[in-house]
Amino acid sequence: MSAQIISGKEVSAQVRERLKKDVEQMKTQDPNFRPGLVVLQVGDRDDSNLYISMKLKAAAEIGINATHLRLPKTATEDEVLHSIMEVNENSAIHGLIVQLPLDSIHKIDTEKVTNVVAPEKDVDGLTSINAGKLSRGDLGDCFIPCTPNGCMELIRQTGVSVAGKRAVVIGRSKIVGAPMHDLLLWNHATVTTCHSKTADLAAEVGRADILVVGIGKAEMVKGDWVKKGAVVIDCGINHIPDETRPSGKRVVGDVHYSSAKEQAGFITPVPGGVGPMTVAMLMQNTVLSAKRFMASHQPGKWSITYTKLNLQKPVPSDIVISRSCVPKPIDRLATEVGLLSDEVELYGKTKAKVQLDIINRLRAQPDGKYVVVTGITPTPLGEGKSTTTIGLVQALGAHMKLNVFACVRQPSQGPTFGIKGGAAGGGYSQVIPMEEFNLHLTGDIHAITAANNLVAAAIDARMFHEATQTDKALYNRLVPLSGGQRTFSPIQINRLKRLGIEKTDPTTLTEEEITRFARLDMDPDSITWNRVLDTNDRFLRKITIGQSPTEKGHTREAQFSITVASEIMAVLALTSSLKDMRQRLAKMVVATSRSGQPITTEDLGVSGALTVLMRDAIKPNLMQTLEGTPVFVHAGPFANIAHGNSSILADKIALKLVGPEGFVVTEAGFGADIGMEKFFNIKCRYSGLRPHVVVLVATVRALKMHGGGPTVTAGMALPKEYVEENLELLEKGCSNMRKQVENAKHFGVPVVVAVNAFKTDTESELDLICSLAKEVGAFDAVRCSHWAEGGAGAVALGQAVQRASEAPSDFKFLYDVELPIADKIRIIAQKIYGADDIELLPDAQHKVALYTKQGFGNLPICMAKTHLSLSHEADKKGVPTGFILPIRDIRASVGAGFLYPLVGTMPTIPGLPTRPCFYDIDLDPETEQVNGLF
């Protein structure tokens, strides 16, 4: 009786159908996900092209995104290795096949090439790592080579149990024979491998219950060698002469088929047996790799290790604490929180930038809980918002085992070397390394400095050239001859369109159109764009530029701001994508023309160059806390003339990474009347994000100052009112906390008051703050000791925040942006500051009319006033009443997307004190450690 034919075509069709369903199932989990396969070929061999076309066709049928990466015959070994490593780093690719042979004119080490393939993408199963795992029996943790895997699937189709059977494998190649031996062995067969040196091959074959042949010799195994009823799997593909065929040859296997099928119980034909299964198993391995990838990269499924603190009493200096903790390698932290290797750009061992592509990868995933940390009105005594932010995330992560990200601003170097010192938190609640955090980080602020000053240079250069040239000469230089022709650049085409000139040929413009195009005609008195420097330098507050004889007397008064006050910093913080940033940078208004038209960076022709300078700065910076929880440090806009919050992009990425049960904690600058109000009305308006909880930070000593406590002098001992119990003074000062809780509740979000405790605080004082906070409507109020204890000292706060995040909320903005400018200012002044009304001074009245006419009247409002009082007078503590808020002037940050009314005067670049911090800062030349940094 003839053997049953095992059809590889039928079995492979069943496998493909099953794989199709698997791919569809993956799409239900993530609609944007598809298994990815790359087939890398060197040269252009016809047989290789045929095999590759079969693989690509099968992949397309199943739903695998397959790519054919063809390198020329001239490709060197290094070029091949480089291409493989690029695919290894591509997270969208789950399988990589190197098509053999490598058809290059250069010598290429095939073994070296195949072993460069990442083992987790080696769907051919040819790397030494996968081969080693197979030989050890780790079948669930490797990829099995496709032909042996297909053979096993065909054997399973017969219904014959492998366990306990005697199996013979003829051939010991790395692709078929050797892995087939291992596969049968670990499926509990007794296996003999035969090869060219085997004595009495026929006798060995005759003992086989299962026979797998892959020797590459046509019809070498004869039918009378085969044991009666055996399973025969023929992997051979050979060509023998056959005059009856048009080609003069036919394909046969390594087994004499016609005689063997009379002996065997089951047999595979050639062709149509093992061949189709090899491709099917390749597809199966690719889908398996994609499944493993999905399982190990589930958003919100973190496998994170935390760093244990070694708490010291008394608490050492911040820099000593920072140095006592060894940070995790930043690439390890990135992997722990679900970032892929190609989404991370390393800047040394402790900081990295994160690619924006992650937003697309995770866009279908739900967001986590969103928490903003703010404070009472600041005092010189400090409230510890940054320290509380870091302490809270350490508590939520390291102690409550929740996924959590901190998102904080990058500090300016001005205060670092001036009077304030570092800004990485403090005590046992810090971002580390603090030297990296407080100094250059990854260069974002330097990029903003370069971009801002390029705009400033463009403004003055343009006014100079317009003042010293005729219209025609100016036009000819703006659109110069190149190769005998004049051509508009894309940015110039944009300007023409804004002017209503629908022409693209420079030779067709009329004289009137040439004048309109070439002359911006900026009014020097209307220029609002300052040069910037990230250094406290009071002597740059007002300067005269253009004094060199080469500028031909074209001087004007100008001024510098500190870099973090640049509108470009605010743009960075409020942008949602690279495209959005390009548009915002283009919309920045730098001056007004003499005819009253706004002049933008796009008009200057510089907006594209700005985007190039900012292309890396837009990527958030990844760092960590002392306890190993992740931190995004990104953007650092001023909290008075700008909105004082870290970037929208960092928040959005973090919210996806933490998953629906996780938390993202961000900090708003200054008190709740400044940073929090702008967080809600500006940042949340542009981001579309809705916060779950407000954490309001307060201290006993700061509230005592609001209650009328004496002034504090830096470097002097604190007056006794601040270090001794004084409940009357404290209760009076709690009016400020009460007002700030009320301010937060205007937005419909639960408020948790965090009382940042100091060792001089008494139990009665701490209890008084907590009880009063709850009386005025706080969801909860808890004392914290995170400065001295790290996350352990903020667990109660973390638990309160977790409960508050589940409470009902009704988020709403304070005002409608379509209201008139003055009405929006009045709402903020009355509801947030407690003013009776506002007074628009003449310059402000003029700007209201101008900006309304220019179409900027519907922008949100970003109040620029002192942060030291709810009123416009810095020395008025507590809750001032009965005052009229004077609006001196109004400026427009059109690119960032807000108007900022100026309340009183304030320098936009700080000055250095008599004894700046830089006196204490130095570098140890032996250890290269920074000393004296806070």
Side-chain angles (χ1 to χ4, degrees):
M1 182 179 176
S2 293
Q4 291 186 42
I5 309 301
I6 315 170
S7 171
K9 290 181 180 179
E10 292 179 11
V11 178
S12 65
Q14 295 168 13
V15 171
R16 288 197 299 272
E17 283 303 313
R18 171 168 52 78
L19 295 177
K20 275 186 194 177
K21 293 176 182 176
D22 288 348
V23 171
E24 287 301 319
Q25 178 61 31
M26 290 185 212
K27 288 182 180 178
T28 62
Q29 296 176 49
D30 182 351
N32 303 309
F33 186 83
R34 281 185 73 187
L37 174 68
V38 166
V39 183
L40 186 147
Q41 178 188 15
V42 178
D44 194 29
R45 285 175 56 121
D46 289 340
D47 55 349
S48 292
N49 290 335
L50 177 61
Y51 296 144
I52 291 169
S53 67
M54 292 167 56
K55 294 167 185 175
L56 297 178
K57 181 180 177 183
E61 180 186 337
I62 291 164
I64 295 170
N65 188 18
T67 303
H68 182 189
L69 178 57
R70 192 200 304 267
L71 300 180
K73 290 187 71 164
T74 56
T76 64
E77 183 176 276
D78 283 345
E79 289 170 337
V80 174
L81 295 176
H82 177 74
S83 295
I84 291 172
M85 286 186 282
E86 281 193 332
V87 176
N88 285 345
E89 290 297 309
N90 187 342
S91 59
I93 304 302
H94 310 103
L96 169 57
I97 305 162
V98 178
Q99 184 67 42
L100 301 177
L102 298 169
D103 183 27
S104 173
I105 60 173
H106 303 286
K107 184 179 179 181
I108 296 179
D109 185 337
T110 300
E111 185 76 7
K112 182 178 180 181
V113 165
T114 53
N115 274 308
V116 170
V117 176
E120 67 273 14
K121 298 187 179 187
D122 173 30
V123 291
D124 255 341
L126 299 182
T127 62
S128 297
I129 290 176
N130 276 316
K133 288 183 176 181
L134 175 58
S135 69
R136 289 172 46 177
D138 298 334
L139 272 58
D141 189 35
C142 71
F143 286 112
I144 299 166
C146 300
T147 298
N149 206 7
C151 293
M152 284 301 298
E153 187 65 34
L154 293 173
I155 293 168
R156 278 191 283 271
Q157 290 294 318
T158 67
V160 173
S161 173
V162 175
K165 296 295 190 296
R166 182 180 293 276
V168 171
V169 178
I170 303 179
R172 53 184 173 181
S173 73
K174 294 178 182 178
I175 295 174
V176 180
M180 193 71 234
H181 172 280
D182 295 336
L183 199 51
L184 287 163
L185 178 68
W186 292 111
N187 278 274
H188 312 299
T190 301
V191 189
T192 301
T193 297
C194 299
H195 44 78
S196 58
K197 304 299 183 184
T198 300
D200 200 356
L201 181 61
E204 295 289 350
V205 171
R207 286 191 282 271
D209 301 312
I210 298 171
L211 176 65
V212 181
V213 186
I215 199 70
K217 293 188 177 180
E219 299 181 330
M220 189 188 77
V221 176
K222 309 306 179 188
D224 57 3
W225 296 4
V226 176
K227 181 180 179 180
K228 194 69 176 176
V231 176
V232 178
I233 307 294
D234 189 350
C235 302
I237 298 178
N238 309 284
H239 293 88
I240 61 172
D242 186 344
E243 294 179 357
T244 66
R245 302 292 176 94
S247 64
K249 56 185 178 181
R250 63 187 173 91
V251 176
V252 298
D254 292 348
V255 177
H256 190 275
Y257 181 74
S258 58
S259 60
K261 75 175 181 178
E262 299 304 321
Q263 285 287 103
F266 299 89
I267 191 169
T268 58
V270 178
V274 173
M277 290 303 298
T278 299
V279 175
M281 292 300 101
L282 177 61
M283 299 301 116
Q284 180 170 286
N285 278 352
T286 303
V287 172
L288 174 60
S289 178
K291 284 181 177 179
R292 289 174 178 172
F293 177 87
M294 285 194 81
S296 63
H297 292 88
Q298 290 180 22
K301 185 180 178 181
W302 291 8
S303 178
I304 187 168
T305 57
Y306 299 105
T307 307
K308 187 172 177 59
L309 295 177
N310 180 21
L311 302 178
Q312 301 291 314
K313 302 290 183 184
V315 176
S317 70
D318 289 350
I319 191 71
V320 169
I321 293 172
S322 176
R323 292 223 176 106
S324 71
C325 180
V326 179
K328 291 183 284 189
I330 201 67
D331 54 344
R332 180 177 137 201
L333 177 63
T335 300
E336 288 179 341
V337 302
L339 290 163
L340 308 180
S341 60
D342 58 334
E343 292 169 342
V344 179
E345 296 176 12
L346 301 180
Y347 280 65
K349 297 179 180 179
T350 58
K351 54 190 178 180
K353 279 194 167 290
V354 175
Q355 298 276 2
L356 302 188
D357 292 347
I358 189 175
I359 295 176
N360 292 327
R361 176 169 72 86
L362 299 179
R363 66 178 179 268
Q365 303 303 322
D367 288 345
K369 308 289 179 62
Y370 197 25
V371 179
V372 60
V373 176
T374 185
I376 61 171
T377 303
T379 70
L381 292 163
E383 291 65 57
K385 284 200 318 298
S386 299
T387 306
T388 302
T389 299
I390 303 307
L392 174 57
V393 298
Q394 290 180 170
L396 289 166
H399 299 271
M400 296 171 63
K401 308 307 180 188
L402 296 167
N403 293 350
V404 63
F405 245 100
C407 291
V408 298
R409 289 183 293 166
Q410 179 183 353
S412 164
Q413 284 180 187
T416 298
F417 292 105
I419 196 168
K420 183 183 176 187
Y428 286 103
S429 295
Q430 293 187 51
V431 180
I432 56 169
M434 69 173 296
E435 304 99 308
E436 301 285 356
F437 181 88
N438 284 298
L439 297 176
H440 303 283
L441 197 56
T442 56
D444 296 350
I445 289 181
H446 300 315
I448 292 165
T449 302
N452 184 100
N453 292 343
L454 180 61
V455 176
I459 292 168
D460 288 301
R462 185 59 175 264
M463 289 197 300
F464 172 77
H465 292 304
E466 287 188 20
T468 56
Q469 298 180 58
T470 65
D471 291 355
K472 190 67 175 174
L474 185 64
Y475 182 73
N476 287 343
R477 287 185 172 90
L478 286 169
V479 193
L481 277 171
S482 178
Q485 288 188 320
R486 299 187 191 276
T487 306
F488 290 125
S489 69
I491 206 166
Q492 291 176 323
I493 295 287
N494 291 344
R495 172 160 169 76
L496 288 167
K497 288 179 180 177
R498 287 195 305 281
L499 293 171
I501 303 172
E502 296 294 332
K503 296 179 180 179
T504 57
D505 184 350
T507 63
T508 61
L509 268 65
T510 66
E511 288 188 9
E512 185 265 342
E513 288 171 338
I514 285 173
T515 300
R516 288 173 58 212
F517 170 79
R519 292 202 177 274
L520 300 181
D521 197 26
M522 285 179 277
D523 179 355
D525 294 334
S526 73
I527 295 170
T528 56
W529 196 266
N530 295 340
R531 287 165 170 80
V532 299
L533 188 70
D534 198 35
T535 301
N536 290 3
D537 190 346
R538 65 190 332 120
F539 286 92
L540 294 178
R541 289 171 180 169
K542 182 173 282 190
I543 59 173
T544 302
I545 60 173
Q547 292 191 332
S548 169
T550 57
E551 274 44 79
K552 302 177 182 179
H554 292 280
T555 63
R556 71 177 180 91
E557 280 194 351
Q559 66 187 70
F560 271 75
S561 296
I562 199 162
T563 298
V564 293
S566 169
E567 183 178 352
I568 297 175
M569 176 63 89
V571 166
L572 176 66
L574 291 170
T575 196
S576 59
S577 66
L578 193 57
K579 180 180 178 182
D580 178 60
M581 183 174 74
R582 171 66 176 82
Q583 293 169 346
R584 287 176 179 270
L585 292 172
K587 290 192 294 186
M588 294 189 302
V589 174
V590 300
T592 300
S593 71
R594 287 186 171 87
S595 63
Q597 296 302 308
I599 304 300
T600 67
T601 54
E602 187 89 341
D603 292 319
L604 282 169
V606 74
S607 51
L610 300 183
T611 310
V612 171
L613 287 170
M614 293 293 293
R615 64 176 180 170
D616 290 321
I618 195 174
K619 304 165 190 172
N621 305 297
L622 179 65
M623 295 188 76
Q624 63 191 285
T625 68
L626 284 167
E627 297 193 53
T629 59
V631 181
F632 276 140
V633 185
H634 198 217
F638 250 25
N640 43 26
I641 67 169
H643 65 291
N645 284 269
S646 58
S647 78
I648 286 173
L649 281 169
D651 290 0
K652 284 190 169 184
I653 293 171
L655 284 163
K656 294 297 183 187
L657 287 170
V658 298
E661 301 305 315
F663 285 81
V664 171
V665 182
T666 189
E667 178 191 347
F670 295 145
D673 56 308
I674 302 284
M676 183 200 70
E677 181 270 316
K678 296 172 183 180
F679 170 81
F680 287 129
N681 282 321
I682 299 175
K683 185 176 181 180
C684 290
R685 201 182 294 269
Y686 282 120
S687 71
L689 299 173
R690 298 294 177 260
H692 293 78
V693 185
V694 171
V695 173
L696 183 77
V697 182
T699 63
V700 169
R701 51 180 64 181
L703 288 171
K704 284 180 177 178
M705 180 171 279
H706 282 295
T711 57
V712 175
T713 305
M716 302 292 289
L718 288 176
K720 64 181 179 62
E721 286 86 350
Y722 298 112
V723 295
E724 296 177 2
E725 185 174 289
N726 190 327
L727 297 178
E728 182 182 353
L729 189 63
L730 176 61
E731 184 169 4
K732 186 179 178 183
C734 281
S735 61
N736 185 272
M737 176 186 68
R738 185 183 303 115
K739 174 58 179 166
Q740 299 291 28
V741 170
E742 178 189 304
N743 285 342
K745 293 189 70 179
H746 279 311
F747 299 92
V749 180
V751 183
V752 174
V753 173
V755 186
N756 189 12
F758 287 73
K759 63 182 179 181
T760 55
D761 301 340
T762 68
E763 290 292 317
S764 297
E765 288 175 328
L766 295 171
D767 289 342
L768 178 63
I769 297 174
C770 292
S771 62
L772 289 176
K774 293 174 187 176
E775 282 179 17
V776 299
F779 178 88
D780 203 351
V782 294
R783 63 182 72 180
C784 314
S785 54
H786 44 273
W787 179 80
E789 300 175 17
V795 169
L797 175 61
Q799 292 168 341
V801 166
Q802 188 177 28
R803 291 194 303 273
S805 72
E806 296 164 358
S809 63
D810 180 27
F811 176 75
K812 52 187 176 291
F813 297 118
L814 192 67
Y815 54 81
D816 183 341
V817 289
E818 298 301 329
L819 288 171
I821 294 171
D823 288 357
K824 289 181 284 192
I825 297 171
R826 183 174 291 106
I827 288 170
I828 295 171
Q830 292 178 335
K831 289 193 174 182
I832 301 298
Y833 308 152
D836 287 348
D837 204 350
I838 62 171
E839 180 187 7
L840 294 179
L841 300 179
D843 284 348
Q845 293 177 25
H846 168 69
K847 292 293 179 61
V848 166
L850 176 65
Y851 293 146
T852 301
K853 178 183 176 183
Q854 291 179 338
F856 306 143
N858 62 348
L859 292 175
I861 300 298
C862 182
M863 298 294 287
K865 78 167 190 70
T866 177
H867 59 287
L868 296 173
S869 173
L870 284 162
S871 75
H872 56 288
E873 297 178 90
D875 59 341
K876 302 291 186 185
K877 303 302 180 187
V879 183
T881 57
F883 63 93
I884 304 294
L885 193 73
I887 309 300
R888 178 173 62 83
D889 198 357
I890 302 174
R891 303 276 172 80
S893 288
V894 179
F898 54 73
L899 301 177
Y900 59 100
L902 301 175
V903 183
T905 58
M906 63 186 68
T908 56
I909 186 166
L912 291 172
T914 304
R915 191 187 188 283
C917 293
F918 62 63
Y919 273 85
D920 303 310
I921 299 172
D922 205 343
L923 187 73
D924 186 322
E926 298 297 325
T927 64
E928 296 188 12
Q929 279 195 344
V930 177
N931 296 322
L933 187 66
F934 202 52

